[in-house]
């Protein structure tokens, strides 16, 4: 992202992260895979001047979670691949192609500068959608239950998940 001649470098995830508007403060970006080819367990707040500042994460490294701004200004973070116990084999994306990483059913709310765990969702999921409905509820739909590494030394770009891992429910 750039504004005029000012380039923005995130201090947290730059691929497969999630972001949501934090009213009056900026955009909160959490999780994903960082520049140093590591899984990110914290967040970055980008304010209206495009200045990034570090914020706490929910307590684990999540890849491909979903975030939604609620009516009251809090942020809901749901699911993601739990990369907390995973390590890199062949660079950032290589790790997803070589390792099996499960999705989680975790849900957190960001309020007052910190995360609070909520009751879990019914299904583990990552790469899903989370949409705020007019009545204030959040619809969580789709996604996958995890990634199954199928890469080999000669094929670092194997299939990340089989269609059977896809979730066809909300």
């Amino acid at each position: 992202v750039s504004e005029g001649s000012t380039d923005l470098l995130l201090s947290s995830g730059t691929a497969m992260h999630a972001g949501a508007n934090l009213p009056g403060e900026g955009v909160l970006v959490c999780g994903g895979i960082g520049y140093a080819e590591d899984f990110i367990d914290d967040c970055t707040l980008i304010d209206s001047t495009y200045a990034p500042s570090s914020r706490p994460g929910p307590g684990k490294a999540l890849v491909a979670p979903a975030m939604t701004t609620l009516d009251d200004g809090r942020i809901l973070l749901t699911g993601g691949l739990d990369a907390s116990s995973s390590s890199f084999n062949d660079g950032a994306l290589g790790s997803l192609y070589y390792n099996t990483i499960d999705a989680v059913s975790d849900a957190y709310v960001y309020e007052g500068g910190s995360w609070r765990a909520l009751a879990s969702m019914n299904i583990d999921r990552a790469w899903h959608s989370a949409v705020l409905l007019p009545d204030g509820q959040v619809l969580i739909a789709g996604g996958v239950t995890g990634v199954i590494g199928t890469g080999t030394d000669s094929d670092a770009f194997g299939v990340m998940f089989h269609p059977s891992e896809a979730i066809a429910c909300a």
Side-chain angles (χ1 to χ4, degrees):
V1 175
S2 76
E3 172 67 19
S5 62
T6 304
D7 289 332
L8 170 64
L9 296 177
L10 297 175
S11 60
S12 68
T14 59
M16 297 183 222
H17 56 273
N21 178 44
L22 186 58
E25 295 189 49
V27 175
L28 190 65
V29 178
C30 299
I33 299 174
Y35 289 115
E37 297 183 342
D38 56 342
F39 294 118
I40 303 300
D41 61 1
D42 65 355
C43 300
T44 299
L45 179 68
I46 304 162
D47 70 18
S48 62
T49 67
Y50 303 98
S53 59
S54 183
R55 293 293 187 267
K60 61 174 67 172
L62 295 171
V63 175
M67 290 172 61
T68 307
T69 302
L70 304 175
D71 284 338
D72 59 8
R74 297 178 301 157
I75 294 177
L76 176 68
L77 183 147
T78 55
L81 300 171
D82 183 1
S84 298
S85 61
S86 298
S87 61
F88 284 86
N89 293 341
D90 185 29
L93 293 177
S95 183
L96 293 178
Y97 291 112
Y98 284 97
N99 291 315
T100 296
I101 304 175
D102 293 326
V104 295
S105 59
D106 299 356
Y108 304 90
V109 66
Y110 185 79
E111 57 188 347
S114 63
W115 292 97
R116 179 174 52 90
L118 301 174
S120 296
M121 298 183 293
N122 292 334
I123 299 173
D124 298 338
R125 59 177 83 216
W127 277 302
H128 56 287
S129 297
V131 178
L132 181 65
L133 300 175
D135 66 0
Q137 294 186 72
V138 176
L139 175 66
I140 309 286
V144 298
T145 58
V147 294
I148 300 172
T150 61
T152 65
D153 288 338
S154 62
D155 178 22
F157 299 104
V159 176
M160 287 175 46
F161 61 88
H162 187 275
S164 66
E165 299 292 317
I167 302 168
C169 69

